[in-house]
Amino acid sequence: MEKREQLYEGKAKKVFATENEDFCIVSYKDDATAFDGAKKGSISGKGVVNNRMSNYLMEKLEAEAGIPTHFVEEINDRETVVRKVSIIPLEVIVRNIAAGSFSKRFGVEEGTPLLCPTLEFCLKNDDLHDPMVNEYHIIACGWATKEDIETITDYTFRINNYLKEYFKGIGVDLVDFKIEFGKTKDGKIILADEISPDTCRFWDSKTHEKLDKDRFRRDLGNVEGAYQEMMRRVFGE
Ligand code: TMP
Ligand code: ASP
């Protein structure tokens, strides 16, 4: 597929049109931000890791868990053809272990296993710092319908069940993650955006070493090394 004009540039990816209006090409950057863009930096090789890992996981989710995704075809290390969607403006967050903003907000120590997975919706709006919203807010403001929320909730817990087991198999605890969904032209909800060390918390199962973007957010050092280690765990490289 042919890469045409740039449609959008986000914090970590660019999106390009193709000759077919149902498809786009995403291009993953090494740029990294945190705290709604307030902290800026670069993580060398991150774009490659995130592109390849996200594609690999989405392919598996489609084939082995029956989750429809935007993934179509990896063109090269940083670029992928995806189905064009309008993004539902919600960050869907699942947590298996307390960490990050959950620990801060609720005073639950980081690392405390949760008795069951939790689900949070946040409005995708950096200027408002992605505030948490509930189902009433979402329906009342028209960000998604009740049926959309039901579909998203069903897919999201299935994704968590699948990914939790997958990562366990490569010695990684899936602490929490954020996903986004989009709607195709014909109204179908599919998994979009990415699943990567930018959007998940990965802890080594034995040492609990952080292998994700928290190393950048919290200035823990060896950021590139953590991304490469996740690449090795997933692809054996
Ligand atoms: P949080 O604990 O900071 O709310 O983050 C929960 C999960 O969501 C964590 O895996 C990191 C991910 N995340 C994003 O992907 N984008 C964001 O903007 C934020 C704040 C978190
Ligand atoms: N999406 C957040 C930002 O741009 C980054 C993060 O914490 O993952 O600031």
Side-chain angles (χ1 to χ4, degrees), residues 12-32:
K13 299 187 280 297
K14 294 178 180 176
V15 182
F16 296 88
T18 67
E19 69 275 21
N20 184 326
E21 62 166 21
D22 294 333
F23 299 95
C24 296
I25 291 174
V26 291
S27 180
Y28 284 73
K29 307 189 282 185
D30 284 350
D31 297 356

Side-chain angles (χ1 to χ4, degrees), residues 11 32-39 91 126 130 178 198-199 213-214 216-217:
K11 287 175 290 186
T33 64
F35 315 118
D36 307 315
K39 175 174 175 148
E91 303 207 335
D126 277 350
D130 299 343
K178 183 270 300 180
D198 271 20
T199 61
K213 196 178 166 189
D214 266 353
F216 169 79
R217 296 188 189 99

Side-chain angles (χ1 to χ4, degrees), residues 86-157:
S86 55
I87 288 286
I88 295 170
L90 298 173
E91 303 207 335
V92 182
I93 297 170
V94 178
R95 301 179 193 266
N96 297 304
I97 299 172
S101 70
F102 185 96
S103 292
K104 266 210 186 107
R105 233 182 299 128
F106 302 133
V108 179
E109 194 184 345
E110 265 207 344
T112 308
L114 299 172
L115 300 177
C116 63
T118 66
L119 179 65
E120 289 160 28
F121 296 109
C122 294
L123 179 65
K124 219 173 121 64
N125 185 323
D126 277 350
D127 294 337
L128 300 176
H129 305 294
D130 299 343
M132 203 195 284
V133 291
N134 69 27
E135 299 189 20
Y136 291 97
H137 301 145
I138 296 169
I139 296 164
C141 294
W143 295 314
T145 66
K146 191 168 193 299
E147 294 68 38
D148 292 341
I149 297 171
E150 280 164 9
T151 305
I152 287 171
T153 301
D154 171 55
Y155 286 167
T156 299
F157 283 119

Side-chain angles (χ1 to χ4, degrees), residues 22-225:
D22 294 333
F23 299 95
C24 296
I25 291 174
V26 291
S27 180
Y28 284 73
K29 307 189 282 185
D30 284 350
D31 297 356
T33 64
F35 315 118
D36 307 315
K39 175 174 175 148
K40 290 192 173 65
S42 172
I43 302 172
S44 175
K46 170 172 92 76
V48 173
V49 174
N50 290 7
N51 181 46
R52 293 192 53 206
M53 190 186 296
S54 190
N55 292 343
Y56 179 77
L57 294 174
M58 287 205 194
E59 259 194 302
K60 281 175 87 69
L61 282 166
E62 287 247 17
E64 296 170 28
I67 304 294
T69 79
H70 72 168
F71 175 73
V72 178
E73 186 191 10
E74 189 169 292
I75 312 174
N76 59 48
D77 272 358
R78 286 183 184 270
E79 295 181 316
T80 296
V81 179
V82 297
R83 265 175 263 284
K84 188 171 187 171
V85 292
S86 55
I87 288 286
I88 295 170
L90 298 173
E91 303 207 335
V92 182
I93 297 170
V94 178
R95 301 179 193 266
N96 297 304
I97 299 172
S101 70
F102 185 96
S103 292
K104 266 210 186 107
R105 233 182 299 128
F106 302 133
V108 179
E109 194 184 345
E110 265 207 344
T112 308
L114 299 172
L115 300 177
C116 63
T118 66
L119 179 65
E120 289 160 28
F121 296 109
C122 294
L123 179 65
K124 219 173 121 64
N125 185 323
D126 277 350
D127 294 337
L128 300 176
H129 305 294
D130 299 343
M132 203 195 284
V133 291
N134 69 27
E135 299 189 20
Y136 291 97
H137 301 145
I138 296 169
I139 296 164
C141 294
W143 295 314
T145 66
K146 191 168 193 299
E147 294 68 38
D148 292 341
I149 297 171
E150 280 164 9
T151 305
I152 287 171
T153 301
D154 171 55
Y155 286 167
T156 299
F157 283 119
R158 281 163 54 194
I159 292 166
N160 184 47
N161 286 338
Y162 182 85
L163 291 181
K164 225 174 18 181
E165 284 308 304
Y166 168 74
F167 282 110
K168 198 162 127 191
I170 56 169
V172 170
D173 287 344
L174 179 61
V175 174
D176 56 31
F177 61 94
K178 183 270 300 180
I179 47 181
E180 297 180 23
F181 292 88
K183 246 186 200 180
T184 58
K185 205 168 60 183
D186 49 3
K188 214 176 119 195
I189 291 183
I190 64 177
L191 179 64
D193 194 51
E194 67 182 271
I195 303 174
S196 73
D198 271 20
T199 61
C200 303
R201 283 196 174 93
F202 296 131
W203 293 355
D204 181 275
S205 302
K206 288 211 177 85
T207 65
H208 300 143
E209 184 189 2
K210 292 178 173 39
L211 297 172
D212 58 63
K213 196 178 166 189
D214 266 353
R215 302 204 73 85
F216 169 79
R217 296 188 189 99
R218 303 179 185 191
D219 296 319
L220 299 176
N222 197 26
V223 184
E224 277 86 3

